[in-house]
Amino acid sequence: MNKLFQNPVQILIYFVLITGAVFLGYLTYANLDKGFIFNDEAYYLSYYKNKGESLSFDRTNFFRIFRFLYTPNIYHFRIISITALVLSNFLFCFSVFKYFNLKNNIFILSLLGILIGFESWAINNLIIHQYIGNTILINTGVSLILISLITKKQIIQTLAGFVLSFVLFNGNSHSIIIAPIFAFIILCDLKRWRTNITWFLTGFILGIVIYFTFLDTLDNFIYQFKFLKDYLGFHKKQHSKTFMVLWCVYLFVNAVLPSAIAFFLLWRAKFSESSVTTLDKILAVTGAVTLGLLIFSHSYFIFSFILFTHLLAVRFWTSKTESRENKYLIILILIIPYCLAFGSQTWFHLRLPAYKYYYFLLIFICLIRLYKNVMWMSGYLAALSLMIFAFPDTLHTKGWKDFIFTEQTEKVKVNGYDLYLDKQRKKDIEDLRPYLQNQPNVIYSSNHLIGYLYILDANPPIYYYFPLKDYMYYIIKKAGKTPDDYIYIESNDYPFSPKEFVPLKFVNHPEQYKVVKAGRFTLYLPSQFQKK
């Protein structure tokens, strides 16, 4: 015990990680039965509920891969999902620390993964979807690779390949992560790379065979891509053709270019001690600015955070005491968020908060390996402490969730299980129940309404669609229906766009439709409509 108290910084690290993980875990689990995200969460749950039998344009089959964890009890499913996520974070931390052969108590240090896991998702959209799913798969797969390299037991590479094979199906655009992982396996053990790759590919191929044998069919998988090809024509009307180009440009300017310039200047200076010292000073200033922005301007913090992390990775590569294998792992950790955020139709700096765990892990490793300065670690712990103290604000702010946790006090049955919603949404459900309960053909004005359909067991022709007239014609025809077979619902908050979609102009026989007001909603009911 006396030995511990000889290092107060170490004690402080342990204290922050333990209390932070426990505190954030408590707040998360205590509120998982409250609220419901009526667009994204309902969208993801609909696939589990309907076993993927509805039309889909998405490039993911998360609901097939993780169906063994699914339960219609949303509260329990959220518990399962966030627990699987933070435990995979813990496993990744533990294997990375073991790979770096840290002398500290790596079990306690690995609580960093649990702490950041809870903080990153902030009790928000926690049922397993492609983003959480891929994080679990990548964490588990890379951890197995590291364990194989540590123990020299190459057969573990087979299990790693098996796990990572499902990334191909869980989020197709994210599957580019396989390339840097493949490169890492080769570079980190050049003497045995052929054997390692052989074992890895054996598991990878086995996973693909298992997927198409038990979870999906090859015909359906190919059909998804044919459907996607048609869908992209409509998709371009909603998103710029140049989005991914700009996505890469912004990331290049904010992260890659400054890192390349720093590395080039160090190389020109032959990695002299003075040039490295200059980089240390720049890092100290950048770190201080990043911490200040975290306190005073969170919207700009993420840009400074990205820059700081990348420059720190460059600094790690200048170290003469670190092996090339360690440096390769730092680069892999650095680029994992690139791949997991790729193709998500969201800017990298907006998607990164879901994956900032990797950067916090990278920073922690660099600080304890490169610097023995109390100020560096104090700044890191200050950032963690600020995040911990701010976490309870999640319960009092609406954010993009569109609800406040403290207002979720009304018990509602969803799939036969209790879930707590606010009074307005409970009233909405009862207003809509006579018209939407168990209805098979419903078109809604905004994705914000899909939650009502999910709760009332109503079904649209396709989940998460764009309110474009020609697109809806395309989907309805593909479903073998006509516009007059559908109920149309719009809300006061999210109505149809009058320039694009007017229900009574969209249907063939508007005179056969009845317009009904139900609370905050307007429903257009066809003549064959019958209350369920």
Side-chain angles (χ1 to χ4, degrees):
M1 185 64 72
N2 290 333
K3 242 182 178 180
L4 278 176
F5 283 95
Q6 290 174 9
N7 190 343
V9 176
Q10 183 174 309
I11 297 171
L12 187 59
I13 292 171
Y14 291 168
F15 176 78
V16 171
L17 294 180
I18 292 172
T19 56
V22 171
F23 179 57
L24 269 60
Y26 167 75
L27 284 182
T28 298
Y29 288 119
N31 289 279
L32 289 183
D33 60 345
K34 300 179 180 67
F36 188 62
I37 302 174
F38 273 63
N39 46 13
D40 282 29
E41 192 170 29
Y43 165 67
Y44 297 129
L45 283 166
S46 295
Y47 279 105
Y48 284 104
K49 194 173 187 178
N50 293 287
K51 302 179 182 178
E53 294 173 358
S54 61
L55 288 176
S56 171
F57 58 77
D58 218 338
R59 295 159 290 174
T60 173
N61 285 289
F62 64 90
F63 55 90
R64 301 183 196 277
I65 297 167
F66 292 99
R67 187 163 186 84
F68 72 99
L69 294 175
Y70 169 71
T71 167
N73 186 328
I74 295 174
Y75 171 54
H76 288 168
F77 194 30
R78 286 170 173 169
I79 292 174
I80 292 168
S81 299
I82 188 60
T83 303
L85 176 65
V86 299
L87 286 181
S88 76
N89 280 3
F90 178 90
L91 176 64
F92 188 77
C93 265
F94 190 88
S95 60
V96 168
F97 291 149
K98 198 75 175 174
Y99 188 81
F100 277 97
N101 196 27
L102 296 190
K103 302 302 182 183
N104 309 73
N105 189 323
I106 61 174
F107 185 90
I108 296 179
L109 294 182
S110 298
L111 293 176
L112 174 68
I114 292 179
L115 190 162
I116 300 295
F118 284 128
E119 197 279 339
S120 295
W121 287 93
I123 328 177
N124 182 27
N125 204 7
L126 291 182
I127 56 94
I128 296 180
H129 44 73
Q130 66 264 45
Y131 304 109
I132 286 179
N134 265 335
T135 304
I136 294 171
L137 292 173
I138 296 302
N139 285 345
T140 305
V142 176
S143 295
L144 289 168
I145 291 171
L146 296 178
I147 292 169
S148 173
L149 295 171
I150 293 166
T151 61
K152 306 298 182 185
K153 294 180 179 178
Q154 293 169 309
I155 194 171
I156 300 177
Q157 294 281 358
T158 303
L159 187 55
F162 178 80
V163 171
L164 290 171
S165 68
F166 292 99
V167 174
L168 294 176
F169 314 106
N170 188 68
N172 303 132
S173 61
H174 308 161
S175 60
I176 59 172
I177 186 61
I178 300 300
I181 291 175
F182 203 78
F184 174 75
I185 295 173
I186 295 172
L187 294 171
C188 67
D189 190 358
L190 288 173
K191 291 182 180 179
R192 304 178 185 83
W193 76 267
R194 288 185 178 86
T195 310
N196 285 334
I197 288 297
T198 300
W199 283 106
F200 180 84
L201 287 178
T202 300
F204 199 82
I205 293 169
L206 177 62
I208 294 173
V209 171
I210 292 294
Y211 180 82
F212 286 120
T213 302
F214 298 104
L215 303 180
D216 200 0
T217 65
L218 186 60
D219 287 344
N220 183 65
F221 188 73
I222 294 172
Y223 170 77
Q224 280 183 304
F225 280 93
K226 289 180 179 178
F227 192 9
L228 178 63
K229 182 181 178 182
D230 294 336
Y231 156 76
L232 286 175
F234 302 103
H235 181 76
K236 290 172 183 176
K237 296 181 180 180
Q238 294 286 112
H239 295 282
S240 168
K241 296 178 183 179
T242 59
F243 178 85
M244 285 313 300
V245 174
L246 291 174
W247 188 93
C248 294
V249 168
Y250 289 164
L251 180 59
F252 178 79
V253 171
N254 188 201
V256 180
L257 182 60
S259 303
I261 292 173
F263 192 83
F264 175 74
L265 293 176
L266 288 167
W267 175 76
R268 283 288 299 271
K270 298 181 180 179
F271 299 101
S272 64
E273 188 174 335
S274 61
S275 64
V276 173
T277 301
T278 300
L279 179 57
D280 283 338
K281 292 178 181 178
I282 293 172
L283 277 166
V285 172
T286 308
V289 169
T290 302
L291 182 59
L293 290 173
L294 177 62
I295 301 171
F296 300 109
S297 181
H298 201 272
S299 58
Y300 290 100
F301 154 76
I302 198 71
F303 296 103
S304 183
F305 179 64
I306 293 170
L307 176 62
F308 177 70
T309 305
H310 283 71
L311 290 178
L312 198 56
V314 171
R315 174 64 180 86
F316 191 87
W317 263 78
T318 68
S319 173
K320 296 177 182 178
T321 59
E322 294 293 341
S323 67
R324 281 197 170 268
E325 290 76 14
N326 286 354
K327 294 175 181 179
Y328 290 139
L329 181 53
I330 284 293
I331 295 300
L332 178 62
I333 295 171
L334 183 71
I335 63 177
I336 283 175
Y338 291 11
C339 302
L340 294 184
F342 183 76
S344 63
Q345 292 302 329
T346 303
W347 300 112
F348 180 70
H349 64 276
L350 296 178
R351 183 63 72 186
L352 180 62
Y355 306 119
K356 63 186 177 187
Y357 150 70
Y358 297 101
Y359 285 0
F360 270 96
L361 173 59
L362 185 152
I363 293 169
F364 185 78
I365 292 169
C366 290
L367 293 186
I368 62 177
R369 300 288 287 205
L370 298 176
Y371 306 106
K372 302 195 184 297
N373 188 315
V374 173
M375 292 301 295
W376 284 97
M377 187 53 68
S378 297
Y380 185 84
L381 293 177
L384 288 183
S385 299
L386 285 168
M387 292 158 58
I388 294 168
F389 289 138
F391 191 77
D393 292 344
T394 303
L395 303 178
H396 306 283
T397 57
K398 183 177 289 189
W400 79 278
K401 297 185 297 296
D402 210 26
F403 67 83
I404 298 173
F405 277 100
T406 53
E407 295 177 357
Q408 311 306 299
T409 57
E410 301 296 313
K411 188 184 294 186
V412 175
K413 289 287 184 182
V414 180
N415 301 329
Y417 301 95
D418 293 337
L419 193 69
Y420 291 89
L421 304 180
D422 55 77
K423 293 180 180 179
Q424 180 61 64
R425 283 198 170 88
K426 182 176 183 180
K427 180 180 183 301
D428 289 343
I429 292 167
E430 296 312 313
D431 288 340
L432 293 172
R433 190 179 300 279
Y435 308 101
L436 295 187
Q437 186 74 55
N438 298 320
Q439 291 292 342
N441 301 310
V442 182
I443 289 177
Y444 45 89
S445 59
S446 169
N447 291 318
H448 291 82
L449 307 185
I450 190 174
Y452 295 110
L453 273 67
Y454 176 82
I455 291 171
L456 295 171
D457 289 319
N459 292 296
I462 189 172
Y463 296 110
Y464 220 83
Y465 53 71
F466 302 129
L468 305 173
K469 181 172 64 176
D470 53 349
Y471 176 63
M472 287 316 303
Y473 266 126
Y474 164 73
I475 293 299
I476 288 172
K477 184 178 179 181
K478 202 165 191 67
K481 303 282 185 178
T482 70
D484 293 53
D485 292 322
Y486 289 88
I487 295 171
Y488 297 85
I489 172 178
E490 65 179 337
S491 71
N492 297 339
D493 298 326
Y494 306 100
F496 287 107
S497 170
K499 293 182 179 179
E500 185 60 49
F501 197 102
V502 179
L504 294 183
K505 292 182 180 179
F506 181 73
V507 300
N508 299 321
H509 299 284
E511 71 280 0
Q512 296 183 5
Y513 269 77
K514 181 181 179 182
V515 180
V516 174
K517 294 286 185 180
R520 299 191 297 165
F521 305 89
T522 301
L523 296 110
Y524 302 85
L525 307 174
S527 57
Q528 68 270 27
F529 168 76
Q530 292 182 356
K531 289 186 178 182
K532 297 288 183 177

